[in-house]
Amino acid sequence: MLSSQEAAEAFAARVLGWLAEDHARISAFLAWSGESPSNLRERMTDPGFLLAVIEFLMSDERQLLDACTDLGVPPETPGQARAALPGGEQVHWT
């Protein structure tokens, strides 16, 4: 279970590496996020950017499941990472 921001950031960095392994995946992320390839390294320490990485992953169930399989983590991990990052907390409206 990912409950610390540090662990969530490390997981998001792994996800970004997974995205970068495939040209189509990283291109889709760059188009979705508006980031440029040259900015990726410097943004790796920005919790907001890392939250965007997780949100992109979670935007497609097939992609999420593929990443979890390839990274050897349970499918709940991205949601836990999202919740541990600033701005990623789930809002309960009740």
Side-chain angles (χ1 to χ4, degrees), residues 55-69:
E55 289 183 342
F56 175 76
L57 179 68
M58 294 178 69
S59 70
D60 180 271
E61 184 177 11
R62 179 77 261 150
Q63 175 177 258
L64 180 140
L65 294 174
D66 288 347
C68 288
T69 298

Side-chain angles (χ1 to χ4, degrees), residues 1-5 7-8 11 73-74 76-81 83-84:
M1 178 170 186
L2 296 177
S3 58
S4 75
Q5 181 176 335
F11 176 72
V73 298
E76 302 83 31
T77 303
Q80 293 168 350

Side-chain angles (χ1 to χ4, degrees), residues 20-74:
E21 290 173 359
D22 181 88
H23 181 72
R25 287 191 306 238
I26 195 66
S27 294
F29 172 71
L30 293 172
W32 178 87
S33 67
E35 291 292 334
S36 68
S38 61
N39 288 342
L40 294 182
R41 272 207 177 112
E42 65 190 50
R43 299 291 311 263
M44 290 295 297
T45 59
D46 177 353
F49 171 74
L50 295 172
L51 177 61
V53 170
I54 297 298
E55 289 183 342
F56 175 76
L57 179 68
M58 294 178 69
S59 70
D60 180 271
E61 184 177 11
R62 179 77 261 150
Q63 175 177 258
L64 180 140
L65 294 174
D66 288 347
C68 288
T69 298
D70 291 349
L71 296 173
V73 298

